[in-house]
Structures are given as structure tokens and as C-alpha cells.
Short mmCIF file of all heavy atoms in Angstrom, two decimals:
data_model
loop_
_atom_site.label_atom_id
_atom_site.label_comp_id
_atom_site.label_asym_id
_atom_site.label_seq_id
_atom_site.Cartn_x
_atom_site.Cartn_y
_atom_site.Cartn_z
N MET A 1 67.91 79.77 -23.72
CA MET A 1 67.59 78.46 -23.15
C MET A 1 66.14 78.43 -22.68
O MET A 1 65.46 77.43 -22.87
CB MET A 1 68.56 78.17 -22.00
CG MET A 1 68.46 76.77 -21.48
SD MET A 1 69.10 75.62 -22.70
CE MET A 1 69.11 74.14 -21.79
N THR A 2 65.67 79.50 -22.08
CA THR A 2 64.31 79.55 -21.59
C THR A 2 63.32 79.47 -22.74
O THR A 2 62.29 78.81 -22.65
CB THR A 2 64.08 80.85 -20.79
OG1 THR A 2 65.07 80.96 -19.79
CG2 THR A 2 62.73 80.84 -20.14
N THR A 3 63.64 80.14 -23.85
CA THR A 3 62.77 80.11 -25.02
C THR A 3 62.66 78.68 -25.57
O THR A 3 61.59 78.24 -25.97
CB THR A 3 63.31 81.05 -26.12
OG1 THR A 3 63.51 82.34 -25.56
CG2 THR A 3 62.36 81.15 -27.28
N LEU A 4 63.77 77.97 -25.57
CA LEU A 4 63.77 76.59 -26.06
C LEU A 4 62.90 75.71 -25.17
O LEU A 4 62.11 74.91 -25.68
CB LEU A 4 65.21 76.05 -26.10
CG LEU A 4 65.36 74.61 -26.60
CD1 LEU A 4 64.85 74.48 -28.02
CD2 LEU A 4 66.81 74.18 -26.53
N LYS A 5 63.01 75.86 -23.85
CA LYS A 5 62.18 75.08 -22.93
C LYS A 5 60.70 75.40 -23.13
O LYS A 5 59.86 74.51 -23.15
CB LYS A 5 62.56 75.36 -21.47
CG LYS A 5 63.85 74.73 -21.04
CD LYS A 5 64.11 75.00 -19.58
CE LYS A 5 65.41 74.37 -19.13
NZ LYS A 5 65.69 74.65 -17.71
N PHE A 6 60.39 76.68 -23.30
CA PHE A 6 59.01 77.09 -23.53
C PHE A 6 58.48 76.50 -24.84
O PHE A 6 57.36 76.00 -24.89
CB PHE A 6 58.91 78.63 -23.57
CG PHE A 6 57.51 79.11 -23.81
CD1 PHE A 6 56.55 79.05 -22.81
CD2 PHE A 6 57.15 79.63 -25.05
CE1 PHE A 6 55.26 79.49 -23.04
CE2 PHE A 6 55.86 80.07 -25.28
CZ PHE A 6 54.92 80.00 -24.28
N THR A 7 59.32 76.52 -25.87
CA THR A 7 58.93 75.97 -27.17
C THR A 7 58.68 74.47 -27.06
O THR A 7 57.69 73.95 -27.57
CB THR A 7 60.01 76.25 -28.23
OG1 THR A 7 60.24 77.65 -28.29
CG2 THR A 7 59.58 75.75 -29.58
N LEU A 8 59.58 73.77 -26.36
CA LEU A 8 59.41 72.32 -26.18
C LEU A 8 58.15 72.01 -25.38
O LEU A 8 57.41 71.08 -25.70
CB LEU A 8 60.64 71.72 -25.49
CG LEU A 8 61.90 71.62 -26.34
CD1 LEU A 8 63.07 71.12 -25.50
CD2 LEU A 8 61.68 70.71 -27.53
N LEU A 9 57.90 72.81 -24.34
CA LEU A 9 56.70 72.62 -23.53
C LEU A 9 55.45 72.86 -24.38
O LEU A 9 54.48 72.11 -24.30
CB LEU A 9 56.73 73.57 -22.33
CG LEU A 9 55.55 73.47 -21.36
CD1 LEU A 9 55.51 72.09 -20.71
CD2 LEU A 9 55.65 74.53 -20.31
N THR A 10 55.48 73.89 -25.20
CA THR A 10 54.34 74.20 -26.08
C THR A 10 54.11 73.07 -27.07
O THR A 10 52.97 72.63 -27.27
CB THR A 10 54.60 75.53 -26.84
OG1 THR A 10 54.86 76.56 -25.89
CG2 THR A 10 53.41 75.91 -27.68
N VAL A 11 55.18 72.60 -27.68
CA VAL A 11 55.06 71.50 -28.66
C VAL A 11 54.53 70.25 -27.96
O VAL A 11 53.64 69.57 -28.48
CB VAL A 11 56.42 71.22 -29.33
CG1 VAL A 11 56.38 69.93 -30.12
CG2 VAL A 11 56.81 72.39 -30.22
N ARG A 12 55.04 69.96 -26.78
CA ARG A 12 54.59 68.79 -26.03
C ARG A 12 53.10 68.89 -25.70
O ARG A 12 52.35 67.92 -25.81
CB ARG A 12 55.42 68.67 -24.75
CG ARG A 12 55.43 67.27 -24.17
CD ARG A 12 56.34 67.17 -22.97
NE ARG A 12 57.74 67.23 -23.36
CZ ARG A 12 58.72 67.60 -22.57
NH1 ARG A 12 58.48 67.98 -21.33
NH2 ARG A 12 59.96 67.62 -22.99
N THR A 13 52.67 70.07 -25.29
CA THR A 13 51.25 70.30 -24.97
C THR A 13 50.39 70.10 -26.21
O THR A 13 49.34 69.46 -26.15
CB THR A 13 51.06 71.72 -24.41
OG1 THR A 13 51.90 71.88 -23.27
CG2 THR A 13 49.62 71.95 -24.01
N ILE A 14 50.82 70.65 -27.33
CA ILE A 14 50.06 70.52 -28.58
C ILE A 14 49.97 69.05 -28.99
O ILE A 14 48.91 68.56 -29.39
CB ILE A 14 50.69 71.37 -29.70
CG1 ILE A 14 50.50 72.85 -29.38
CG2 ILE A 14 50.09 71.04 -31.06
CD1 ILE A 14 51.27 73.79 -30.29
N VAL A 15 51.06 68.33 -28.86
CA VAL A 15 51.06 66.90 -29.21
C VAL A 15 50.11 66.12 -28.31
O VAL A 15 49.34 65.28 -28.78
CB VAL A 15 52.50 66.33 -29.15
CG1 VAL A 15 52.49 64.82 -29.22
CG2 VAL A 15 53.34 66.91 -30.26
N LYS A 16 50.14 66.41 -27.01
CA LYS A 16 49.24 65.72 -26.08
C LYS A 16 47.78 66.02 -26.41
O LYS A 16 46.93 65.14 -26.39
CB LYS A 16 49.54 66.13 -24.63
CG LYS A 16 50.77 65.48 -24.06
CD LYS A 16 50.99 65.89 -22.62
CE LYS A 16 52.24 65.26 -22.05
NZ LYS A 16 52.48 65.68 -20.65
N GLN A 17 47.48 67.29 -26.70
CA GLN A 17 46.11 67.67 -27.05
C GLN A 17 45.67 66.98 -28.34
O GLN A 17 44.55 66.50 -28.44
CB GLN A 17 45.99 69.19 -27.21
CG GLN A 17 46.06 69.92 -25.90
CD GLN A 17 46.09 71.44 -26.08
OE1 GLN A 17 46.27 71.93 -27.19
NE2 GLN A 17 45.92 72.16 -24.99
N SER A 18 46.56 66.92 -29.32
CA SER A 18 46.25 66.26 -30.59
C SER A 18 46.00 64.77 -30.38
O SER A 18 45.09 64.19 -30.96
CB SER A 18 47.38 66.46 -31.60
OG SER A 18 47.51 67.83 -31.90
N ALA A 19 46.84 64.16 -29.54
CA ALA A 19 46.68 62.74 -29.25
C ALA A 19 45.35 62.48 -28.54
O ALA A 19 44.66 61.51 -28.84
CB ALA A 19 47.84 62.24 -28.39
N LEU A 20 44.99 63.38 -27.62
CA LEU A 20 43.72 63.24 -26.91
C LEU A 20 42.54 63.37 -27.89
O LEU A 20 41.60 62.58 -27.84
CB LEU A 20 43.61 64.28 -25.80
CG LEU A 20 42.35 64.22 -24.95
CD1 LEU A 20 42.25 62.88 -24.23
CD2 LEU A 20 42.35 65.35 -23.93
N LYS A 21 42.61 64.35 -28.78
CA LYS A 21 41.56 64.53 -29.78
C LYS A 21 41.45 63.30 -30.67
O LYS A 21 40.36 62.84 -30.99
CB LYS A 21 41.82 65.78 -30.63
CG LYS A 21 41.57 67.07 -29.91
CD LYS A 21 41.88 68.25 -30.80
CE LYS A 21 41.75 69.56 -30.05
NZ LYS A 21 42.15 70.71 -30.88
N LEU A 22 42.60 62.76 -31.08
CA LEU A 22 42.61 61.57 -31.92
C LEU A 22 42.01 60.38 -31.18
O LEU A 22 41.22 59.62 -31.74
CB LEU A 22 44.04 61.24 -32.36
CG LEU A 22 44.22 60.03 -33.26
CD1 LEU A 22 43.46 60.21 -34.57
CD2 LEU A 22 45.69 59.78 -33.53
N GLU A 23 42.34 60.26 -29.90
CA GLU A 23 41.80 59.16 -29.08
C GLU A 23 40.28 59.29 -28.95
O GLU A 23 39.55 58.30 -29.06
CB GLU A 23 42.46 59.18 -27.71
CG GLU A 23 42.16 57.96 -26.86
CD GLU A 23 42.94 57.97 -25.56
OE1 GLU A 23 44.11 58.37 -25.57
OE2 GLU A 23 42.36 57.58 -24.54
N ILE A 24 39.81 60.52 -28.76
CA ILE A 24 38.36 60.74 -28.67
C ILE A 24 37.69 60.40 -29.99
O ILE A 24 36.64 59.75 -30.02
CB ILE A 24 38.07 62.21 -28.26
CG1 ILE A 24 38.48 62.42 -26.80
CG2 ILE A 24 36.61 62.56 -28.45
CD1 ILE A 24 38.48 63.87 -26.36
N LYS A 25 38.31 60.80 -31.10
CA LYS A 25 37.74 60.49 -32.42
C LYS A 25 37.72 58.99 -32.65
O LYS A 25 36.75 58.45 -33.19
CB LYS A 25 38.54 61.19 -33.52
CG LYS A 25 38.28 62.68 -33.58
CD LYS A 25 39.10 63.34 -34.66
CE LYS A 25 38.88 64.84 -34.66
NZ LYS A 25 39.72 65.53 -35.63
N GLN A 26 38.79 58.29 -32.25
CA GLN A 26 38.83 56.84 -32.43
C GLN A 26 37.76 56.16 -31.58
O GLN A 26 37.11 55.22 -32.02
CB GLN A 26 40.22 56.30 -32.06
CG GLN A 26 41.28 56.65 -33.08
CD GLN A 26 42.66 56.21 -32.64
OE1 GLN A 26 42.93 56.01 -31.47
NE2 GLN A 26 43.55 56.08 -33.60
N THR A 27 37.57 56.65 -30.36
CA THR A 27 36.54 56.08 -29.48
C THR A 27 35.16 56.32 -30.07
O THR A 27 34.32 55.40 -30.10
CB THR A 27 36.64 56.71 -28.08
OG1 THR A 27 37.95 56.50 -27.58
CG2 THR A 27 35.63 56.11 -27.14
N THR A 28 34.92 57.53 -30.56
CA THR A 28 33.64 57.85 -31.18
C THR A 28 33.40 56.96 -32.39
O THR A 28 32.30 56.43 -32.58
CB THR A 28 33.60 59.33 -31.60
OG1 THR A 28 33.86 60.13 -30.45
CG2 THR A 28 32.26 59.71 -32.17
N LEU A 29 34.43 56.77 -33.21
CA LEU A 29 34.31 55.92 -34.39
C LEU A 29 34.01 54.48 -33.99
O LEU A 29 33.16 53.82 -34.59
CB LEU A 29 35.60 55.99 -35.21
CG LEU A 29 35.63 55.16 -36.48
CD1 LEU A 29 34.53 55.62 -37.44
CD2 LEU A 29 36.99 55.28 -37.15
N ALA A 30 34.68 54.00 -32.95
CA ALA A 30 34.43 52.63 -32.49
C ALA A 30 33.00 52.46 -32.01
O ALA A 30 32.36 51.45 -32.30
CB ALA A 30 35.41 52.27 -31.37
N ILE A 31 32.48 53.46 -31.29
CA ILE A 31 31.09 53.40 -30.82
C ILE A 31 30.13 53.39 -32.01
O ILE A 31 29.18 52.60 -32.05
CB ILE A 31 30.80 54.59 -29.88
CG1 ILE A 31 31.55 54.40 -28.56
CG2 ILE A 31 29.30 54.72 -29.62
CD1 ILE A 31 31.54 55.62 -27.67
N LEU A 32 30.39 54.25 -32.99
CA LEU A 32 29.52 54.29 -34.18
C LEU A 32 29.55 52.96 -34.93
O LEU A 32 28.52 52.47 -35.38
CB LEU A 32 29.95 55.43 -35.11
CG LEU A 32 29.63 56.83 -34.61
CD1 LEU A 32 30.25 57.88 -35.54
CD2 LEU A 32 28.14 57.05 -34.51
N LEU A 33 30.74 52.38 -35.06
CA LEU A 33 30.85 51.09 -35.75
C LEU A 33 30.10 49.99 -35.00
O LEU A 33 29.46 49.14 -35.62
CB LEU A 33 32.32 50.71 -35.94
CG LEU A 33 33.08 51.52 -36.97
CD1 LEU A 33 34.56 51.15 -36.96
CD2 LEU A 33 32.50 51.34 -38.36
N LEU A 34 30.16 50.01 -33.68
CA LEU A 34 29.42 49.03 -32.89
C LEU A 34 27.91 49.20 -33.07
O LEU A 34 27.17 48.21 -33.18
CB LEU A 34 29.78 49.13 -31.41
CG LEU A 34 31.11 48.53 -31.01
CD1 LEU A 34 31.43 48.84 -29.56
CD2 LEU A 34 31.12 47.04 -31.24
N GLN A 35 27.45 50.46 -33.13
CA GLN A 35 26.02 50.71 -33.34
C GLN A 35 25.58 50.23 -34.71
O GLN A 35 24.51 49.64 -34.86
CB GLN A 35 25.72 52.20 -33.17
CG GLN A 35 25.81 52.68 -31.74
CD GLN A 35 25.64 54.18 -31.61
OE1 GLN A 35 25.73 54.92 -32.58
NE2 GLN A 35 25.38 54.64 -30.40
N ILE A 36 26.41 50.48 -35.73
CA ILE A 36 26.09 50.02 -37.08
C ILE A 36 26.04 48.50 -37.12
O ILE A 36 25.12 47.91 -37.69
CB ILE A 36 27.13 50.56 -38.09
CG1 ILE A 36 26.95 52.08 -38.24
CG2 ILE A 36 27.00 49.87 -39.44
CD1 ILE A 36 28.06 52.75 -39.03
N LYS A 37 27.01 47.86 -36.49
CA LYS A 37 27.05 46.40 -36.46
C LYS A 37 25.81 45.85 -35.77
O LYS A 37 25.19 44.89 -36.25
CB LYS A 37 28.31 45.93 -35.73
CG LYS A 37 28.45 44.44 -35.67
CD LYS A 37 29.72 44.03 -34.95
CE LYS A 37 29.82 42.54 -34.82
NZ LYS A 37 30.99 42.14 -34.04
N LYS A 38 25.42 46.47 -34.67
CA LYS A 38 24.25 46.04 -33.92
C LYS A 38 22.99 46.14 -34.80
O LYS A 38 22.17 45.22 -34.82
CB LYS A 38 24.11 46.93 -32.68
CG LYS A 38 22.98 46.56 -31.77
CD LYS A 38 22.98 47.50 -30.56
CE LYS A 38 21.74 47.37 -29.74
NZ LYS A 38 21.71 48.32 -28.62
N ARG A 39 22.86 47.24 -35.54
CA ARG A 39 21.71 47.42 -36.42
C ARG A 39 21.70 46.40 -37.55
O ARG A 39 20.65 45.86 -37.90
CB ARG A 39 21.69 48.83 -36.99
CG ARG A 39 21.31 49.87 -35.96
CD ARG A 39 21.29 51.25 -36.55
NE ARG A 39 21.08 52.25 -35.51
CZ ARG A 39 21.32 53.52 -35.65
NH1 ARG A 39 21.77 53.99 -36.79
NH2 ARG A 39 21.09 54.36 -34.66
N LEU A 40 22.87 46.15 -38.12
CA LEU A 40 22.95 45.17 -39.21
C LEU A 40 22.59 43.77 -38.73
O LEU A 40 21.89 43.03 -39.42
CB LEU A 40 24.36 45.18 -39.83
CG LEU A 40 24.71 46.41 -40.65
CD1 LEU A 40 26.16 46.35 -41.10
CD2 LEU A 40 23.80 46.54 -41.86
N VAL A 41 23.07 43.41 -37.56
CA VAL A 41 22.74 42.10 -36.99
C VAL A 41 21.24 42.00 -36.72
O VAL A 41 20.61 40.99 -37.02
CB VAL A 41 23.56 41.84 -35.71
CG1 VAL A 41 23.04 40.63 -34.95
CG2 VAL A 41 25.02 41.65 -36.05
N ALA A 42 20.65 43.09 -36.19
CA ALA A 42 19.21 43.09 -35.92
C ALA A 42 18.42 42.94 -37.22
O ALA A 42 17.44 42.18 -37.28
CB ALA A 42 18.82 44.38 -35.20
N GLN A 43 18.83 43.64 -38.27
CA GLN A 43 18.13 43.54 -39.55
C GLN A 43 18.27 42.14 -40.13
O GLN A 43 17.30 41.58 -40.65
CB GLN A 43 18.69 44.56 -40.55
CG GLN A 43 18.30 45.99 -40.25
CD GLN A 43 18.96 46.98 -41.18
OE1 GLN A 43 19.80 46.61 -42.00
NE2 GLN A 43 18.59 48.24 -41.04
N ALA A 44 19.47 41.58 -40.07
CA ALA A 44 19.69 40.23 -40.60
C ALA A 44 18.88 39.21 -39.82
O ALA A 44 18.29 38.29 -40.41
CB ALA A 44 21.18 39.88 -40.54
N THR A 45 18.83 39.36 -38.50
CA THR A 45 18.05 38.44 -37.67
C THR A 45 16.57 38.55 -38.00
O THR A 45 15.88 37.53 -38.13
CB THR A 45 18.28 38.76 -36.18
OG1 THR A 45 19.69 38.70 -35.91
CG2 THR A 45 17.57 37.78 -35.29
N LYS A 46 16.08 39.75 -38.17
CA LYS A 46 14.67 39.96 -38.51
C LYS A 46 14.35 39.31 -39.86
O LYS A 46 13.34 38.61 -40.00
CB LYS A 46 14.37 41.46 -38.56
CG LYS A 46 12.92 41.78 -38.82
CD LYS A 46 12.69 43.28 -38.80
CE LYS A 46 11.26 43.62 -39.14
NZ LYS A 46 11.04 45.06 -39.21
N ARG A 47 15.23 39.53 -40.85
CA ARG A 47 15.03 38.93 -42.17
C ARG A 47 15.04 37.40 -42.07
O ARG A 47 14.22 36.72 -42.68
CB ARG A 47 16.14 39.40 -43.12
CG ARG A 47 15.61 40.19 -44.29
CD ARG A 47 16.70 40.61 -45.24
NE ARG A 47 17.34 41.80 -44.70
CZ ARG A 47 18.64 41.94 -44.52
NH1 ARG A 47 19.47 40.99 -44.86
NH2 ARG A 47 19.13 43.04 -44.01
N TYR A 48 15.98 36.86 -41.28
CA TYR A 48 16.10 35.42 -41.12
C TYR A 48 14.82 34.84 -40.52
O TYR A 48 14.27 33.86 -41.03
CB TYR A 48 17.30 35.14 -40.21
CG TYR A 48 17.52 33.68 -39.87
CD1 TYR A 48 18.01 32.80 -40.82
CD2 TYR A 48 17.25 33.21 -38.59
CE1 TYR A 48 18.22 31.47 -40.51
CE2 TYR A 48 17.46 31.88 -38.27
CZ TYR A 48 17.95 31.02 -39.23
OH TYR A 48 18.15 29.71 -38.91
N PHE A 49 14.30 35.47 -39.48
CA PHE A 49 13.07 34.97 -38.86
C PHE A 49 11.86 35.16 -39.76
O PHE A 49 10.94 34.35 -39.76
CB PHE A 49 12.84 35.63 -37.49
CG PHE A 49 13.69 35.01 -36.41
CD1 PHE A 49 14.68 35.75 -35.79
CD2 PHE A 49 13.52 33.68 -36.04
CE1 PHE A 49 15.47 35.18 -34.81
CE2 PHE A 49 14.31 33.11 -35.06
CZ PHE A 49 15.29 33.86 -34.44
N ASN A 50 11.86 36.22 -40.57
CA ASN A 50 10.78 36.39 -41.54
C ASN A 50 10.78 35.25 -42.56
O ASN A 50 9.72 34.73 -42.91
CB ASN A 50 10.89 37.74 -42.27
CG ASN A 50 10.46 38.90 -41.41
OD1 ASN A 50 9.78 38.71 -40.40
ND2 ASN A 50 10.84 40.10 -41.79
N HIS A 51 11.96 34.86 -43.01
CA HIS A 51 12.06 33.73 -43.96
C HIS A 51 11.59 32.44 -43.30
O HIS A 51 10.88 31.64 -43.92
CB HIS A 51 13.49 33.58 -44.47
CG HIS A 51 13.93 34.66 -45.41
ND1 HIS A 51 13.23 35.00 -46.54
CD2 HIS A 51 15.01 35.47 -45.39
CE1 HIS A 51 13.85 35.98 -47.17
NE2 HIS A 51 14.93 36.29 -46.48
N ILE A 52 12.00 32.23 -42.06
CA ILE A 52 11.60 31.01 -41.35
C ILE A 52 10.09 30.98 -41.15
O ILE A 52 9.44 29.96 -41.40
CB ILE A 52 12.33 30.90 -39.99
CG1 ILE A 52 13.79 30.58 -40.21
CG2 ILE A 52 11.69 29.84 -39.11
CD1 ILE A 52 14.60 30.50 -38.94
N SER A 53 9.50 32.12 -40.74
CA SER A 53 8.06 32.12 -40.50
C SER A 53 7.30 31.94 -41.81
O SER A 53 6.27 31.26 -41.85
CB SER A 53 7.62 33.40 -39.79
OG SER A 53 7.62 34.49 -40.66
N PHE A 54 7.81 32.52 -42.90
CA PHE A 54 7.17 32.32 -44.21
C PHE A 54 7.25 30.86 -44.62
O PHE A 54 6.26 30.28 -45.09
CB PHE A 54 7.85 33.22 -45.26
CG PHE A 54 7.28 33.05 -46.64
CD1 PHE A 54 6.04 33.58 -46.96
CD2 PHE A 54 7.97 32.34 -47.62
CE1 PHE A 54 5.49 33.43 -48.22
CE2 PHE A 54 7.44 32.19 -48.88
CZ PHE A 54 6.20 32.73 -49.19
N ALA A 55 8.42 30.25 -44.43
CA ALA A 55 8.59 28.83 -44.79
C ALA A 55 7.68 27.94 -43.94
O ALA A 55 7.06 27.00 -44.45
CB ALA A 55 10.05 28.42 -44.63
N LEU A 56 7.59 28.24 -42.65
CA LEU A 56 6.73 27.44 -41.78
C LEU A 56 5.25 27.60 -42.14
O LEU A 56 4.51 26.61 -42.17
CB LEU A 56 6.96 27.81 -40.31
CG LEU A 56 8.26 27.32 -39.70
CD1 LEU A 56 8.42 27.87 -38.29
CD2 LEU A 56 8.34 25.81 -39.70
N SER A 57 4.84 28.83 -42.43
CA SER A 57 3.44 29.02 -42.80
C SER A 57 3.14 28.34 -44.13
O SER A 57 2.06 27.77 -44.31
CB SER A 57 3.09 30.50 -42.86
OG SER A 57 3.77 31.15 -43.91
N ALA A 58 4.08 28.38 -45.07
CA ALA A 58 3.88 27.69 -46.35
C ALA A 58 3.82 26.18 -46.12
O ALA A 58 3.01 25.48 -46.74
CB ALA A 58 5.02 28.03 -47.29
N LEU A 59 4.65 25.69 -45.21
CA LEU A 59 4.66 24.25 -44.92
C LEU A 59 3.34 23.81 -44.29
O LEU A 59 2.78 22.77 -44.66
CB LEU A 59 5.83 23.94 -43.96
CG LEU A 59 6.02 22.48 -43.57
CD1 LEU A 59 6.40 21.66 -44.79
CD2 LEU A 59 7.09 22.37 -42.50
N PHE A 60 2.82 24.60 -43.36
CA PHE A 60 1.57 24.22 -42.69
C PHE A 60 0.35 24.43 -43.58
O PHE A 60 -0.71 23.86 -43.32
CB PHE A 60 1.40 24.98 -41.38
CG PHE A 60 2.34 24.48 -40.29
CD1 PHE A 60 3.32 25.30 -39.77
CD2 PHE A 60 2.23 23.18 -39.83
CE1 PHE A 60 4.17 24.84 -38.78
CE2 PHE A 60 3.07 22.71 -38.84
CZ PHE A 60 4.06 23.54 -38.32
N ASN A 61 0.48 25.22 -44.63
CA ASN A 61 -0.64 25.44 -45.54
C ASN A 61 -0.71 24.36 -46.62
O ASN A 61 -1.64 24.38 -47.42
CB ASN A 61 -0.55 26.81 -46.20
CG ASN A 61 -0.91 27.92 -45.22
OD1 ASN A 61 -1.63 27.69 -44.26
ND2 ASN A 61 -0.37 29.11 -45.44
N LEU A 62 0.23 23.45 -46.66
CA LEU A 62 0.20 22.39 -47.67
C LEU A 62 -0.88 21.43 -47.40
O LEU A 62 -1.50 20.86 -46.88
CB LEU A 62 1.55 21.65 -47.73
CG LEU A 62 2.70 22.46 -48.32
CD1 LEU A 62 3.97 21.64 -48.27
CD2 LEU A 62 2.40 22.83 -49.76
#
């Protein structure tokens, strides 16, 4: 009976540790995805303003 309790406790500990590692990996992945999204938005915004400034300069040069 004691061996069974020890085995269950060991399995429970391993499961908790695995869940914690998975949670950390998911959090890290979420942070990375947010950083990528932020960079993509910044690049798109920069491109958008470059197009607008080019169009405005072309308009004023007419």
C-alpha cells in the first residue's frame, strides 16, 4: 500500500511539473506572438505612412 501511495505521489508530482512546464512554454509562446504582431503592425504602419507621404509629395509637386 505504501508503494502505491508513493507511486501515485510521484506520478502526481511529474504531472504537475509537466503542466507547469507546458504553462511556461505557452506563456513564452504568447509573449513571442505578441512581439511578432507588434513588429508586423509597426512595419505595416510605417509602409502605410510612406505611401501617404509619397502620395502627398507627388500631389504637391503637380
Side-chain angles (χ1 to χ4, degrees):
M1 189 70 172
T2 307
T3 307
L4 180 60
K5 285 183 180 179
F6 180 74
T7 304
L8 287 175
L9 181 63
T10 304
V11 169
R12 202 176 289 156
T13 303
I14 291 171
V15 168
K16 284 182 181 179
Q17 288 174 348
S18 297
L20 182 61
K21 287 179 185 176
L22 180 61
E23 190 174 321
I24 289 169
K25 286 179 183 176
Q26 288 175 338
T27 303
T28 303
L29 181 60
I31 290 169
L32 288 173
L33 288 174
L34 283 173
Q35 289 174 344
I36 291 170
K37 181 180 177 184
K38 183 178 169 183
R39 288 181 187 163
L40 289 175
V41 168
Q43 288 175 355
T45 304
K46 184 178 177 183
R47 243 182 278 127
Y48 176 73
F49 281 114
N50 284 343
H51 289 307
I52 288 178
S53 75
F54 179 74
L56 286 175
S57 67
L59 181 65
F60 287 116
N61 286 335
L62 289 178

